[in-house]
Amino acid sequence: MSVYILSNRKIIRHKGERADSFSNDEYSIPNFRIAKCDFDDYKEPTAQSKKRKDYTNRNILNYQLFSEPEKQGYENVMEVLLSEKGIKESTLTASNLGGTQRMFYELYKNMSSTKERSDVLIFIHGYAYDFDDELQAIIDLKKLFIDRPESPVEHILFVSWPASSSIVPLTYFDDKASSINSGTSLLRLFYFYTQFLKDIFSNRQLVPCNQRIHIMAHSMGNRVLQSMLYSLKRENILRVIDQVILLNADVSYKVFEESEDSFNKLPLLANRISVYLNRQDAILGISQFTKNILTPRLGKNGPSDISQLKDIVSVIDCTFVKDDLLNSFKFEAGNHWGYLSSSQVQSDIFQNLYGIDRNLITNRIANNENIFTIIS
């Protein structure tokens, strides 16, 4: 099990201490830095500890930033892997690897060491998260997707982008701009990943692990994904993702149309795309009527036209699910966090991640060949 933070947040340098930290500032840097979360000494906080002013950053969840790589590219990763197999002599070890080199190395090693499902989930959060909120979200996601036996996920890559810490409506536009910048950073990371695959598997001694990688984006996190897709050249796309799950997506309902040139690229990237929507989503209703010039939102209204993509894209209507896990006013009135608040939505997502045929997933009814409604 491993959980990584991929963040383009500002880095705080601590005098007299070895460990740098991510900042809560609403400011993005051009490149993602990578950190690994440490759950070894994690303890559930008490209500009293949460009230303390020092319950921030590493007091929520410990993590360690990876160093920057000594050398660009993935030749060193290949050398370390071949050395560990006894195929090539080298003085290099994993400690010489930094950044994406270290993360990809660790994931490849862990995912290759088992024949069981050891999937990776790339999660992109939504609007109004500061870094402390993100750390708490990581804890919740680990409980949901790693600790639960119904889920095939064993590793999480949490995409941390500097959303505003306030839910004041004007900050929405700051987050909108930040999500676009973060999408550009995510594109760079995608190219690093495809380069890693090409470099490593060009050597016949290193074989694919045959595990699966999924992308899940919630709310405005879909705009980060959209920004990446805008800039992604079709000729550079490799189908390296199994499932893409779009939760309550705060993007236009036209994103799959050719004129948008963004989400219509997803079928080149992934085996299956699932759009989870709630027609009573109050958060997306506010987004539509106050911030997006009456443009219907994908996560509330569904896609405008996916007739050309119906074999790959599914729409799952969660309007009638029960909030049986989290039922505070925020969740019941918002109808925006079904993946956290509803066991029905979670069960549907788990079956999706396992790759069960969309017509065989339980507690669904088919409205037509690619549109479904979750029922009690």
Side-chain angles (χ1 to χ4, degrees):
M1 182 278 293
S2 49
V3 179
Y4 300 90
I5 303 171
L6 286 63
S7 183
N8 62 338
R9 288 183 175 275
K10 183 180 176 182
I11 302 295
I12 301 174
R13 310 291 180 186
H14 298 292
K15 292 183 179 180
E17 297 181 24
R18 295 181 62 187
D20 296 334
S21 300
F22 289 116
S23 169
N24 260 326
D25 292 350
E26 298 159 20
Y27 174 82
S28 61
I29 59 178
N31 298 316
F32 276 107
R33 288 292 303 273
I34 298 173
K36 188 175 184 180
C37 296
D38 179 9
F39 285 91
D40 290 344
D41 298 318
Y42 174 76
K43 295 180 180 179
E44 286 289 337
T46 62
Q48 184 178 5
S49 67
K50 285 186 176 182
K51 290 180 180 179
R52 290 203 304 262
K53 292 182 179 180
D54 64 349
Y55 187 67
T56 60
N57 216 287
R58 284 190 172 83
N59 288 328
I60 299 175
L61 176 63
N62 191 29
Y63 60 92
Q64 183 67 46
L65 271 79
F66 286 161
S67 62
E68 291 292 87
E70 299 171 4
K71 177 182 176 182
Q72 297 300 315
Y74 298 100
E75 292 180 6
N76 284 357
V77 180
M78 186 184 302
E79 190 168 326
V80 171
L81 290 170
L82 292 175
S83 173
E84 291 175 346
K85 285 178 172 287
I87 298 170
K88 178 179 181 179
E89 290 188 6
S90 175
T91 58
L92 292 179
T93 66
S95 62
N96 296 108
L97 305 177
T100 58
Q101 296 172 348
R102 183 65 178 264
M103 181 177 70
F104 294 154
Y105 161 82
E106 291 184 355
L107 286 172
Y108 175 73
K109 289 275 291 183
N110 289 331
M111 295 166 75
S112 301
S113 64
T114 176
K115 293 183 180 179
E116 301 296 326
R117 286 290 290 269
S118 180
D119 293 5
V120 173
L121 177 65
I122 302 171
F123 186 90
I124 312 174
H125 70 79
Y127 168 50
Y129 277 67
D130 63 20
F131 186 65
D132 289 346
D133 294 330
E134 291 175 353
L135 290 175
Q136 186 58 55
I138 289 170
I139 294 168
D140 295 338
L141 289 170
K142 176 184 174 291
K143 293 176 183 176
L144 175 56
F145 289 108
I146 294 179
D147 296 347
R148 294 275 292 276
E150 307 98 306
S151 168
V153 172
E154 191 174 5
H155 314 282
I156 293 175
L157 275 57
F158 186 90
V159 178
S160 157
W161 58 280
S164 302
S165 57
S166 169
I167 60 172
V168 175
L170 286 177
T171 65
Y172 180 95
F173 298 103
D174 295 331
D175 281 5
K176 197 171 180 179
S178 182
S179 68
I180 294 171
N181 295 336
S182 300
T184 304
S185 299
L186 189 62
L187 174 67
R188 191 177 297 110
L189 185 73
F190 174 79
Y191 283 138
F192 286 157
Y193 174 59
T194 55
Q195 189 60 51
F196 169 79
L197 295 179
K198 292 176 182 177
D199 289 352
I200 296 301
F201 300 133
S202 65
N203 189 301
R204 294 183 179 181
Q205 304 290 339
L206 302 173
V207 297
C209 62
N210 295 320
Q211 303 292 351
R212 298 164 180 83
I213 298 175
H214 314 289
I215 294 177
M216 182 178 292
H218 177 246
S219 192
M220 198 182 284
N222 285 266
R223 196 178 295 275
V224 175
L225 180 60
Q226 183 183 30
S227 177
M228 184 194 91
L229 292 168
Y230 274 141
S231 303
L232 189 59
K233 304 298 182 185
R234 290 178 179 271
E235 59 269 23
N236 294 332
I237 300 178
L238 299 176
R239 185 173 277 112
V240 293
I241 303 299
D242 185 32
Q243 309 285 333
V244 173
I245 295 182
L246 311 175
L247 303 169
N248 303 79
D250 191 2
V251 290
S252 166
Y253 75 134
K254 295 183 178 181
V255 288
F256 284 99
E257 295 183 10
E258 292 293 328
S259 58
E260 282 285 327
D261 199 34
S262 58
F263 279 39
N264 62 331
K265 297 175 184 175
L266 283 176
L268 301 175
L269 180 69
N271 293 324
R272 187 160 78 182
I273 298 100
S274 299
V275 179
Y276 284 79
L277 62 85
N278 190 315
R279 300 189 188 280
Q280 296 179 358
D281 191 317
I283 305 301
L284 294 184
I286 294 171
S287 171
Q288 175 180 332
F289 286 102
T290 65
K291 306 176 183 71
N292 287 288
I293 319 175
L294 303 183
T295 304
R297 314 318 287 159
L298 177 66
K300 180 176 171 66
N301 300 84
S304 58
D305 182 13
I306 52 172
S307 56
Q308 301 299 315
L309 306 173
K310 59 186 179 182
D311 292 338
I312 298 176
V313 180
S314 300
V315 178
I316 301 96
D317 190 337
C318 306
T319 304
F320 306 105
V321 303
K322 297 177 181 178
D323 291 321
D324 57 336
L325 300 177
L326 300 170
N327 54 11
S328 66
F329 177 78
K330 167 186 171 180
F331 295 102
E332 289 192 339
N335 293 309
H336 189 61
W337 295 273
Y339 75 100
L340 293 175
S341 62
S342 171
S343 62
Q344 295 168 277
V345 176
Q346 290 180 3
S347 174
D348 199 279
I349 291 173
F350 292 151
Q351 293 177 77
N352 229 337
L353 292 175
Y354 263 112
I356 295 175
D357 186 287
R358 61 187 179 182
N359 293 296
L360 299 178
I361 292 178
T362 59
N363 297 319
R364 282 183 178 184
I365 57 172
N367 302 335
N368 63 31
E369 59 189 312
N370 71 317
I371 300 178
F372 304 87
T373 299
I374 298 180
I375 56 174
S376 301

